[in-house]
Amino acid sequence: MPIARDPLHAVLDPGSVAIIGASSDPDKVGGRPVDYLRRYGFGGVIHPVNPRRDEVQGLRTVPSLAALDEPVDVVLVAVPGASAVEAVEAAAKAGALATIVMTAGFGETGSPEGVAQQQRMLTAARAAGMRLFGPNSQGLANFGTGAVLGFSTMFAEQPPQDGPVAVISQSGAMCSVPYGLLRRRGIGVRHAHATGNDADVTVGELAAAVAADPQVRLILLYLENLSDPESLAAAARVARERDLPIVALMGGRSAAGQRAAKSHTGARAGERRVIDAYFAELGIRRAMSMPELVDTTELYLQDWRPQGRRLVVVSNSGAVCVLAADAAEDRAMPLAALSAETEERVAAVLPGFATSSNPIDVTAALLTDSGLFGKVLPLVAEDPDADAFLLGIPVAGKGYDVPRFAVDAAGFAARTGKPLVVAAPQESVAEEFRRRGMTVYPDESTAIGALDHYLTHAQLRRSARTEPRSYGTGAASPDPVTLDEAAALARLAGAGIPVVRHHLCRSRDEAIAAFAELGPGAVVAKGCSIDAPHKSEHGLVELGLITADATGAAYDRLTTRIRQLGLTFGGVIIAEHVRALHEMVVGARRDPTFGPVVLVGQGGKYVEYLPDVQVMLAPLERERALQAIGQLRLARVLGGVRGEPAADVDALADLAVRVGEMVAADPGLVAIDINPVMLRAAGEGAVIVDALVLTG
Amino acid sequence: MPIARDPLHAVLDPGSVAIIGASSDPDKVGGRPVDYLRRYGFGGVIHPVNPRRDEVQGLRTVPSLAALDEPVDVVLVAVPGASAVEAVEAAAKAGALATIVMTAGFGETGSPEGVAQQQRMLTAARAAGMRLFGPNSQGLANFGTGAVLGFSTMFAEQPPQDGPVAVISQSGAMCSVPYGLLRRRGIGVRHAHATGNDADVTVGELAAAVAADPQVRLILLYLENLSDPESLAAAARVARERDLPIVALMGGRSAAGQRAAKSHTGARAGERRVIDAYFAELGIRRAMSMPELVDTTELYLQDWRPQGRRLVVVSNSGAVCVLAADAAEDRAMPLAALSAETEERVAAVLPGFATSSNPIDVTAALLTDSGLFGKVLPLVAEDPDADAFLLGIPVAGKGYDVPRFAVDAAGFAARTGKPLVVAAPQESVAEEFRRRGMTVYPDESTAIGALDHYLTHAQLRRSARTEPRSYGTGAASPDPVTLDEAAALARLAGAGIPVVRHHLCRSRDEAIAAFAELGPGAVVAKGCSIDAPHKSEHGLVELGLITADATGAAYDRLTTRIRQLGLTFGGVIIAEHVRALHEMVVGARRDPTFGPVVLVGQGGKYVEYLPDVQVMLAPLERERALQAIGQLRLARVLGGVRGEPAADVDALADLAVRVGEMVAADPGLVAIDINPVMLRAAGEGAVIVDALVLTG
């Protein structure tokens, strides 16, 4: 067996392993890896390290790493507390490529001594060029090479089998649980790694190494923090090149979950929408629960070439047709509109009272003609509108030729390459389909939910960002300065953003001249002060000025008001009055982990309370901004309803792109908040009438 | 066995049954009931009717019903087409109490002959005072009495066992599927009825009879139409008196599902929100899918006394704590804020690095102290904030004393009466808990989802309407008349609804006098015409009139404009200008099935496109209107945000109640649509400035 000298590949396929704290009891943390390595076919050398015993589980021990003739590839640490720190230092000294610390009680406790001990391990490893996994790691397990370097109970409960799935988790439990659920369904799991505190090697780095394993066809991740967005992004790039899907369950979506995560791993998960944006552009699907993480596994392991999401439902039950139609609408999966020709061809093979339009109810006639599914499916598959199929068999027993249905459906699925899932609550029926490689769910709703996740992910992967980006260009200034409105508008105009025609006036005459230049029509007067970013709350906005005199009078009133309020006078802005079809919000800021982010959504004063916004990482392409705008709740009306014209979403997207570029290009720019953006009809653009710009 | 003479109770416990079309093949539709009746302990008399055989499955046949000496209680019809109609006529003539027609191919096909044949059955039954089930019924099955009068394959696939659950379905498949799913989980199902076309007896009527069965503790319904809301409401009343929960899955929520339902049972499901309102006030929980229908069953069968929905999570895994907190927030189930005293007491029994605040992570210390759950649970149970519990055990194997955990948890649950669910993916762990009567789900997300449904339903049942109501006071007029604005406002004012101060003027002088009476301050002028209900689209609204002259001029412009547009002149309304804190919508109309319904929600021009509305049946109580307002998306801001005052939701609720009363009291009132309702700060009321009233 060739020894891979790259530490990350070495832990997946080591030539030699030393276990510090190796136990003769195979149920102890230090005994399990010895047992597992021997039981699951590890071909390398195993060195139990134990100064008090000559042999452990039939293997000759060494008293210490120093007693070994040559360096080992991987050291596994199972001794408690300070001894674990010494073990890491010894491993570093002995020239190990990587050390996995299974011992808990370090950084995750938040205690000063735990944090300091973890830091000592890290320092020793870094100084020696050795990579460190954990501490608090349940261990790594590669059932392809037999390198089972961990102590998960679950490998004994659900015997392993090499296969196409990799599970990588920060939590030991959330490594064991998906492993166990998948193994129970008979799915082979090659990798089951739990990285723990990620003091050195992170889940992302390990995922990149796993993604390079050609036997892996699906990666499932469990995360609680993402302090290192670059490494997971690199893994996603490796995966994308191989067309390898990644699904991630990240705990701590909610405020309560973030508090729990903080006391679990000591790490803050970050803002949900920003993480969603990060995953989305990497083509990683974010699962919201353990079922969502594992329930689509069988779909990924099929050899389908999914295109659209228009569904065809075929069942021997009208009620399944009804419930499937409901579930599809819940999931925004349209039922395929079959052509008249397809419907005629389907009708020709069905009995008179059956339904030949989609959903297709072949009725209990299936009892007398067992070939109905086999006849109907190929007919609908040829319809260009049919993207995916659900076959629903709620009841079949004596009299039904279920093996025939399964053979017909499997043959059909193999020919088309279009996704087909089966909904069958009876285990006996499900088994007939599974035996022929089909994916079966217990009901139409669960089946359509899984299909939705799978197809949505296929779309997400197609639109994944191909360019690498650098994240986290440093924390935002803790003490930013707010520009006054005139300066903010000037800054945005300078960046090519369309700003309302306006003049900053410092006298009544200038205000009157501004009216003359901007008119005819109403103008707006706004008192400027660096001390009052929220002008309307201070009564510093006057609307509907339609004469030069009114404009001059407004100038006088606003200057007086600023003086009365004791604010710094920054002039009075006289601006053209702009009408909008829709008032939107566009903003940008700097996330401490992910760098510049852009927000676009419905504007107004309740943005924080009734949010209808989308968040994207910046810089971004116009296409991604348009996608995000299309996902707004407001999107339904932006296309034009009630006789209104369509809104200029291209201009809105351009604005989001431009604002993102500004923050990305200038680390001194802390935040931009434009609310409202005056969005006009298609072709008429979007105009900014006010903005808040923070610099640091 | 005493013979119940009420036909609906007779079909559940008949003294005698005749099967027309009885077959000697127990796998045929006419053979299965004979087999099932004998196999499942039916104690009454069975008469196979078959003119061509002397015996069927060991029973002596009769050639016809007429050949019987005395009338049978129930006749089961298994002969095809026109013979089925004749069989019903014969049953009616022979004095049967009820007939169940299993034969399909009648009303559900939509064909004229099928519909006519079904009508003939109904006519014969009604004339004789006999009740008719079906046609197209899979049959009724009561495993408590052995009266299995149907042909479901599923009873052979999953052997029956009497128990606390009743399934009543219009669809045969959706009777068999929940029966099978529950039986597979070891739950006893007493009733499994599939009513088919409901030509005479409806699901609701049968549900009322089943609800009176004292052994039944949970009723599950599957419906595709609700043409007969009274009968299900009556069933809900019977159930409420017994504290018996009802859960209903109604197919056809979506447009696509409604189309499918129409071709399945020929019936239209009705508008989703109206049906939701109907179920809600009956205390019936609406399930959205088959899993939602059946997954809470075990919870209903516990003897809990649920109060609030504040959750306590206890686990040996920090990751489960994190994921459970996320799932709870998704479900709007707050994590209980344990008192400092509780936390101290919990901390005293946990090791130092464990988390004593909620969610409580007892850590792997559970391995060394198997009594930890037993120690922690009683401590948190005493906290007044703890309403419900989740115990999460993602991994346990060798070394864990799982039976001890289960005994401790079961003892605890029995003492508190508070709901406790377990999340355990390992079958071996789950089994230990189930054996002791606990409810176990495979993961924290599914467990919390089920708990949410159960607790939400408990709340729904507590707030169920106790007064019976009569639904469907006749269809709305097909050709309604729109009142002009002045008439509409007068109509609403007459019903005690607060209408803006205004005058309908028919001359410039009247307009000027109106200004004098309404001022000082701005008034609004609106040109009235019965031909132009949408005034602003016709340029018939002028705002911000602050002088008598301006008001007079506006009067002239509006009268000219009405003349130019060729519209009927109805005068000009001069009204006080009203400012609103929030613009809302309130409406009422007459649903063809459910009668008067009221809508309340966010107003504005996009009500149809970005709906944030709640629908209720009318007349309704203020409390229900307030509840509905509290469920609006907008509710978050109605309480007052950004320094704004709280809105006068009481006034809004009163308005909804009043409008509902108006439509309920007057069948000539087709619809009222008030948009916007000018909602002001608490104590300042809600005022109407415009309204659309349709009469017929």
Side-chain angles (χ1 to χ4, degrees), chain A residues 27 32 109 138 152-154 157 171-174 176-177 181 184 222 224 249-264 272 288-291 317-323 325-327 329-330 335 353 355 357 359 361 394-398 400 425-428 442-446 537 581-582 602 604-606 608-612 633-637 641-642 644, chain B residues 27 32 109 138 152-154 157 171-174 176-177 181 184 222 224 249-264 272 288-291 317-323 325-327 329-330 335 353 355 357 359 361 394-398 400 425-428 442-446 537 581-582 602 604-606 608-612 633-637 641-642 644:
Chain A
D27 282 328
R32 264 209 206 125
T109 64
Q138 190 180 256
S152 171
T153 320
M154 199 62 101
E157 300 283 316
S171 147
M174 291 308 136
S176 297
V177 168
L181 291 170
R184 199 166 135 200
Y222 176 80
E224 283 185 14
L249 172 58
M250 183 156 180
R253 280 181 288 130
S254 64
Q258 289 207 356
R259 279 192 299 277
K262 197 157 162 42
S263 71
H264 181 217
R272 173 178 178 166
M288 296 304 161
S289 64
M290 186 50 67
S317 156
V320 166
C321 290
V322 174
L323 292 174
D326 285 347
E329 189 155 306
D330 287 346
L335 291 182
F353 47 89
T355 312
S357 60
D361 178 7
V395 187
K398 236 171 149 178
Y400 282 95
Q426 281 168 283
E427 212 27 68
S428 57
D443 62 90
E444 51 291 329
S445 161
T446 307
E537 292 176 12
L581 192 56
H582 301 282
Q602 184 171 15
K605 58 183 173 174
Y606 296 136
E608 290 165 56
Y609 301 93
L610 305 171
D612 178 23
R633 180 171 181 261
L634 198 69
R636 267 168 280 177
V637 307
V641 294
R642 291 174 53 97
E644 292 174 353
Chain B
D27 283 328
R32 268 213 200 121
T109 64
Q138 191 181 253
S152 171
T153 319
M154 199 60 100
E157 300 284 316
S171 147
M174 291 308 136
S176 297
V177 167
L181 291 170
R184 199 166 135 199
Y222 176 81
E224 283 185 14
L249 171 58
M250 183 156 180
R253 281 181 288 132
S254 65
Q258 290 207 354
R259 280 192 298 276
K262 199 159 160 42
S263 71
H264 180 217
R272 172 178 179 166
M288 296 304 162
S289 64
M290 186 49 66
S317 156
V320 166
C321 290
V322 174
L323 293 174
D326 285 347
E329 188 154 306
D330 286 348
L335 291 183
F353 46 89
T355 311
S357 60
D361 178 7
V395 186
K398 237 172 150 179
Y400 283 94
Q426 282 167 284
E427 212 26 68
S428 57
D443 62 274
E444 52 291 329
S445 160
T446 306
E537 292 176 14
L581 192 57
H582 301 283
Q602 184 172 15
K605 58 183 173 174
Y606 296 136
E608 290 165 58
Y609 301 93
L610 305 171
D612 177 22
R633 180 172 181 260
L634 197 68
R636 269 169 278 178
V637 307
V641 295
R642 291 174 54 96
E644 291 174 352

Side-chain angles (χ1 to χ4, degrees), chain A residues 113-444:
Chain A
E113 65 273 35
V115 170
Q117 286 178 318
Q118 181 169 313
Q119 186 55 45
R120 270 180 59 202
M121 295 183 201
L122 187 59
T123 305
R126 294 240 160 114
M130 178 182 80
R131 298 308 303 270
L132 179 71
F133 290 82
N136 190 26
S137 158
Q138 190 180 256
L140 277 58
N142 180 349
F143 294 103
T145 61
V148 184
L149 312 172
F151 67 96
S152 171
T153 320
M154 199 62 101
F155 304 152
E157 300 283 316
Q158 291 277 356
Q161 184 192 300
D162 191 12
V165 180
V167 178
I168 313 173
S169 167
Q170 291 179 323
S171 147
M174 291 308 136
C175 174
S176 297
V177 168
Y179 163 89
L181 291 170
L182 295 178
R183 288 295 307 118
R184 199 166 135 200
R185 273 152 47 191
I187 298 169
V189 177
R190 163 165 285 206
H191 297 271
H193 308 309
T195 61
N197 293 2
D198 288 18
D200 176 29
V201 180
T202 61
V203 159
E205 275 186 280
L206 185 57
V210 169
D213 180 339
Q215 298 302 310
V216 171
R217 296 182 58 200
L218 171 66
I219 294 181
L220 304 180
L221 301 178
Y222 176 80
L223 304 164
E224 283 185 14
N225 69 324
L226 247 174
S227 54
D228 170 30
E230 274 86 2
S231 70
L232 185 57
R237 277 195 300 280
V238 175
R240 192 166 52 249
E241 273 159 30
R242 289 193 41 219
D243 198 22
L244 169 65
I246 302 179
V247 185
L249 172 58
M250 183 156 180
R253 280 181 288 130
S254 64
Q258 289 207 356
R259 279 192 299 277
K262 197 157 162 42
S263 71
H264 181 217
T265 56
R268 211 183 145 270
E271 194 195 321
R272 173 178 178 166
R273 286 189 298 224
V274 176
I275 293 172
D276 284 345
Y278 167 78
F279 283 134
E281 71 168 36
L282 294 179
I284 296 176
R285 175 165 76 81
R286 184 168 189 178
M288 296 304 161
S289 64
M290 186 50 67
E292 282 196 10
L293 183 67
V294 298
D295 280 2
T296 38
T297 300
E298 286 90 342
L299 302 184
Y300 290 107
L301 302 181
Q302 300 278 5
D303 285 312
W304 291 330
R305 299 173 297 280
Q307 296 297 329
R309 44 194 288 123
R310 291 164 303 180
L311 183 67
V312 176
V313 176
V314 182
S315 177
N316 61 331
S317 156
V320 166
C321 290
V322 174
L323 292 174
D326 285 347
E329 189 155 306
D330 287 346
R331 298 281 181 177
M333 288 181 69
L335 291 182
L338 301 176
S339 68
E341 195 194 337
T342 303
E343 290 195 5
E344 270 168 38
R345 296 170 70 189
V346 170
V349 302
L350 290 183
F353 47 89
T355 312
S356 61
S357 60
N358 183 23
I360 299 171
D361 178 7
V362 305
T363 75
L366 188 63
L367 253 177
T368 46
D369 181 358
S370 297
L372 274 184
F373 286 142
K375 289 176 190 167
V376 168
L377 285 172
L379 297 178
V380 287
E382 286 170 27
D383 194 291
D385 220 41
D387 292 323
F389 302 88
L390 172 78
L391 189 61
I393 308 177
V395 187
K398 236 171 149 178
Y400 282 95
D401 187 359
V402 178
R404 166 83 185 269
F405 307 159
V407 167
D408 284 354
F412 162 76
R415 282 192 304 276
T416 62
K418 292 182 181 181
L420 184 156
V421 294
V422 179
Q426 281 168 283
E427 212 27 68
S428 57
V429 175
E431 196 41 47
E432 289 290 344
F433 283 89
R434 285 206 190 97
R435 193 184 303 164
R436 287 161 185 91
M438 316 281 293
T439 303
V440 189
Y441 293 93
D443 62 90
E444 51 291 329

Side-chain angles (χ1 to χ4, degrees), chain B residues 376-430:
Chain B
V376 167
L377 285 172
L379 298 178
V380 288
E382 286 171 27
D383 195 291
D385 220 42
D387 292 324
F389 302 89
L390 173 78
L391 189 61
I393 307 177
V395 186
K398 237 172 150 179
Y400 283 94
D401 187 358
V402 178
R404 167 84 186 269
F405 308 159
V407 167
D408 284 354
F412 162 76
R415 281 191 304 278
T416 64
K418 292 181 180 180
L420 184 156
V421 295
V422 179
Q426 282 167 284
E427 212 26 68
S428 57
V429 176

Side-chain angles (χ1 to χ4, degrees), chain B residues 76 100-102 136-141 149-151 175 192-195:
Chain B
L76 205 56
I100 303 168
V101 180
M102 302 190 289
N136 189 27
S137 159
Q138 191 181 253
L140 276 59
L149 311 171
F151 67 95
C175 174
H193 308 308
T195 62

Side-chain angles (χ1 to χ4, degrees), chain B residues 620-691:
Chain B
L620 73 156
E621 314 76 46
R622 189 198 217 202
E623 197 47 49
R624 193 167 294 279
L626 281 170
Q627 263 175 29
I629 293 165
Q631 283 163 12
L632 293 173
R633 180 172 181 260
L634 197 68
R636 269 169 278 178
V637 307
L638 292 179
V641 295
R642 291 174 54 96
E644 291 174 352
D648 198 336
V649 288
D650 288 334
L652 185 63
D654 286 340
L655 182 58
V657 169
R658 208 89 44 95
V659 166
E661 280 166 357
M662 284 179 72
V663 173
D666 181 354
L669 211 45
V670 175
I672 298 174
D673 182 17
I674 312 174
N675 182 5
V677 169
M678 308 304 274
L679 181 60
R680 301 193 284 204
E684 296 177 11
V687 173
I688 286 176
V689 295
D690 194 0

